[in-house]
Amino acid sequence: MKIKLFAFIVSIFFIYTASAIKITFLVPGKSNEDFWVTAAEFTRAAAVELGFDYEVLYAERDRENMIDLVYKIASETNKPDFVLIVNEKNSAPQMLKILNNNNIKTFLVHVDLTDDQKKVIKYPRSIYKNWIGTVVADNVPAGYQIMNEMYKNIPENLKSKKMFKLIAINGDKETKTSLEREKGLYKFLNENKSIQLLQIIAAEWDRDIAYQKTNHMFDRYKDIDFIWAANDPIALGALKAVYNHQKLPGKNIYIGGLNWSKESLEEIKKGTISTSLGGHFINGACAIAVIFDYLKGIDINSSNYEMKINFFSPIGKKEVDEYFKYLDKSNWNKINFKKYTKFYNKNLKEYKFNPKEILKDYK
């Protein structure tokens, strides 16, 4: 009888412990910003499925507010067990220090440290022991693929043109995400000498700024064939400017972006935007799966507890209608996230985080 009672108490303890694990996602973007809301809500679906308490805090693209939120988290009576942070505006070192000093475990997601930052704070569990791991997107292939998708989809009769003119609009000049996407673009250009980069500018990830700066580019350069955009809001801002200059997007000028935003997919369906890369919004959900395994005693087996994943895939004109269904948030609670953990999938040696596969994996 005593043994049964003890077993019952132990089982209740573990159930309570599992349900008490709290994860906070500190989102750098705005609470009405399509990509970041999508990323936060997909992460929520994974967290709920795997039995975590989950909350989202939005910094509203304000670096000072983001740091204030970290201090607020650290001072709470009911502190989270884990915080997902993003190295937006290169703010991760300060956040890692605050959270580490308050004994809160941290995962870095979406935006990696810069090379200079890594020289100072190294890697997870070195200087900051509560920095448990890093799970981020590899943005170099994304930058390459935006350009590749635009180029390969132009009509055959235009491919004989000797020289194409390109404007590139990046997000900013300092974050790892921007630098990597730009590096991918340059890799493509080094392999394709028939494309001339006229100028690369930054739009601070902002649609309106992209619109204004694209107008200035048309004032400066009359013959533009391609506009490479680091994300969809930039692509949509550039598209608006293109119409001001009597261009025909999808016919005599080609625009490519990244995010799989609904508005961009509508433009792809119409043929006015050539491509949108995406899938990286699952990044936080992947970190949730890794945290789940970590709590089950299955640790990250990557070098220095860092994982860099190529999440990105293009959605083409023929796929748009299909993916509208998969990108509907009401369907995400049907996804079997347990399948992507090593605890539940004993045959899984390496994580397989393919966004197109995961989105289709309904229970």
Side-chain angles (χ1 to χ4, degrees):
M1 181 67 182
K2 288 182 178 179
I3 293 173
K4 287 183 179 178
L5 180 60
F6 177 77
F8 174 76
I9 292 170
V10 169
S11 67
I12 291 297
F13 172 78
F14 280 110
I15 290 169
Y16 172 77
T17 301
S19 66
I21 297 295
K22 178 182 174 183
I23 298 176
T24 297
F25 187 5
L26 180 50
V27 173
K30 296 180 180 179
S31 52
N32 63 354
E33 197 171 341
D34 185 72
F35 171 76
W36 284 113
V37 172
T38 300
E41 291 309 306
F42 196 79
T43 305
R44 183 189 303 279
V48 170
E49 165 75 4
L50 293 172
F52 295 116
D53 289 341
Y54 175 79
E55 71 169 348
V56 183
L57 299 175
Y58 289 93
E60 305 294 345
R61 286 210 175 272
D62 183 329
R63 190 185 190 281
E64 288 186 13
N65 185 39
M66 188 156 56
I67 301 302
D68 287 344
L69 286 171
V70 174
Y71 278 115
K72 179 177 177 292
I73 290 167
S75 65
E76 288 177 350
T77 303
N78 181 26
K79 293 181 177 65
D81 299 278
F82 293 86
V83 178
L84 307 182
I85 66 167
V86 181
N87 191 28
E88 190 80 1
K89 302 293 184 183
N90 294 334
S91 57
Q94 188 176 356
M95 293 191 287
L96 285 167
K97 183 177 181 179
I98 297 165
L99 294 166
N100 184 77
N101 291 346
N102 285 274
N103 204 30
I104 299 172
K105 292 180 171 58
T106 310
F107 261 75
L108 182 63
V109 296
H110 284 285
V111 182
D112 201 358
L113 298 180
T114 65
D115 293 340
D116 287 342
Q117 287 175 325
K118 287 186 177 185
K119 289 175 184 176
V120 178
I121 63 172
K122 310 300 181 186
Y123 46 83
R125 308 187 208 182
S126 54
I127 293 174
Y128 298 129
K129 303 302 180 185
N130 285 308
W131 175 18
I132 302 301
T134 293
V135 182
V136 293
D138 186 351
N139 282 282
V140 176
Y144 183 101
Q145 206 170 354
I146 294 169
M147 193 65 233
N148 186 54
E149 289 294 317
M150 283 195 292
Y151 185 60
K152 77 179 187 182
N153 287 320
I154 62 173
E156 286 298 324
N157 64 309
L158 291 180
K159 288 185 178 176
S160 59
K161 189 174 178 178
K162 290 184 178 180
M163 185 61 66
F164 295 93
K165 305 295 178 67
L166 164 70
I167 292 295
I169 313 176
N170 210 337
D172 56 54
K173 297 178 180 180
E174 57 184 14
T175 63
K176 192 67 177 283
T177 297
S178 287
L179 297 173
E180 286 191 348
R181 288 180 192 171
E182 188 175 309
K183 184 177 179 181
L185 170 63
Y186 279 117
K187 183 175 185 292
F188 181 89
L189 296 177
N190 286 335
E191 296 173 6
N192 296 271
K193 302 298 184 182
S194 63
I195 302 174
Q196 178 189 359
L197 177 61
L198 298 174
Q199 191 170 345
I200 186 163
I201 55 178
E204 299 303 322
W205 307 104
D206 186 88
R207 182 174 181 157
D208 292 335
I209 295 174
Y211 168 70
Q212 293 163 10
K213 290 197 171 186
T214 304
N215 277 323
H216 292 323
M217 290 299 99
F218 277 109
D219 292 338
R220 184 174 298 171
Y221 307 105
K222 301 305 178 188
D223 184 17
I224 301 172
D225 300 295
F226 293 109
I227 299 176
W228 177 98
N231 72 355
D232 281 351
I234 292 172
L236 290 164
L239 176 65
K240 182 181 175 183
V242 163
Y243 286 123
N244 287 351
H245 296 271
Q246 289 72 55
K247 288 281 193 175
L248 299 173
K251 297 186 183 299
N252 59 15
I253 189 168
Y254 301 89
I255 304 168
L258 181 152
N259 271 6
W260 284 1
S261 69
K262 183 177 180 181
E263 192 175 351
S264 278
L265 295 182
E266 292 283 10
E267 296 295 341
I268 288 171
K269 191 174 177 180
K270 292 190 288 187
T272 52
I273 286 181
S274 299
T275 190
S276 178
L277 274 291
H280 57 314
F281 68 85
I282 76 166
N283 192 157
C286 299
I288 296 290
V290 174
I291 290 170
F292 180 85
D293 282 339
Y294 170 81
L295 291 169
K296 296 292 185 181
I298 305 169
D299 209 347
I300 304 168
N301 61 6
S302 303
S303 175
N304 294 331
Y305 308 105
E306 296 173 308
M307 298 170 60
K308 199 162 200 174
I309 303 168
N310 182 9
F311 293 113
F312 299 98
S313 296
I315 289 181
K317 196 171 184 178
K318 294 179 181 178
E319 296 178 289
V320 169
D321 286 335
E322 178 187 5
Y323 276 90
F324 274 144
K325 178 179 73 175
Y326 298 132
L327 293 169
D328 181 347
K329 296 178 179 65
S330 66
N331 289 320
W332 292 347
N333 62 357
K334 304 171 190 173
I335 295 173
N336 181 15
F337 289 101
K338 290 179 179 177
K339 177 180 174 180
Y340 300 95
T341 68
K342 293 181 179 180
F343 179 79
Y344 283 110
N345 188 349
K346 304 300 183 186
N347 296 322
L348 190 63
K349 302 301 179 187
E350 300 294 335
Y351 289 109
K352 295 180 180 177
F353 296 133
N354 182 308
K356 284 187 172 180
E357 289 180 9
I358 292 173
L359 285 167
K360 293 179 183 179
D361 193 14
Y362 291 0
K363 298 173 189 172

